[in-house]
Amino acid sequence: MLEKGDGCELPATAVYWLSDDPQPGIVLVELVDAHGRPHQLVDKSAMFGGDLLPTSAYPCPTTIQCTIEDIDDGIATVSTWWLSGGPDDVPFVFDVRLDTLAPTDHLPPPKLLN
């Protein structure tokens, strides 16, 4: 059973191979959150689950590594510790159904103490 603070894999769809540079290549990934809102992430293919290659048949399934920040009534708030953005360089946060998540052995780096 996944709990708050656990690392997890969020199912997503790799939609399009964007570029071969920088290596290992850039891919566009999409997901729909628990509220039906679509989200798109762009990063190196190695940052997503599976073997995403320029020759892969897109769209194709992949996963996004996340950390569970909170759980409320079957909805997990997850964040991407490895991918951030915006002027404050904050992780992306999504509400997703808890039953869609799978455990992972990929864990975020320990938080630094202030």
Side-chain angles (χ1 to χ4, degrees):
M1 180 78 157
L2 290 168
E3 299 178 357
K4 182 177 177 178
D6 287 348
C8 60
E9 297 281 338
L10 171 62
T13 302
V15 177
Y16 189 75
W17 186 269
L18 296 172
S19 174
D20 291 333
D21 292 314
Q23 290 294 323
I26 304 295
V27 67
L28 169 67
V29 171
E30 295 180 340
L31 68 109
V32 176
D33 68 17
H35 308 289
R37 294 180 296 231
H39 300 274
Q40 294 182 325
L41 301 174
V42 174
D43 206 331
K44 292 181 181 180
S45 60
M47 300 307 292
F48 299 104
D51 292 324
L52 299 176
L53 303 168
T55 56
S56 296
Y58 292 94
C60 62
T62 189
T63 59
I64 301 168
Q65 295 178 19
C66 298
T67 300
I68 298 175
E69 301 295 336
D70 196 20
I71 299 173
D72 183 26
D73 197 27
I75 301 296
T77 301
V78 297
S79 67
T80 57
W81 53 267
W82 54 272
L83 180 63
S84 56
D88 296 324
D89 200 32
V90 296
F92 293 97
V93 177
F94 311 101
D95 287 337
V96 297
R97 289 185 23 228
L98 181 61
D99 63 0
T100 63
L101 301 174
T104 183
D105 58 358
H106 296 106
L107 300 176
K111 293 183 178 178
L112 300 175
L113 299 175
N114 291 343

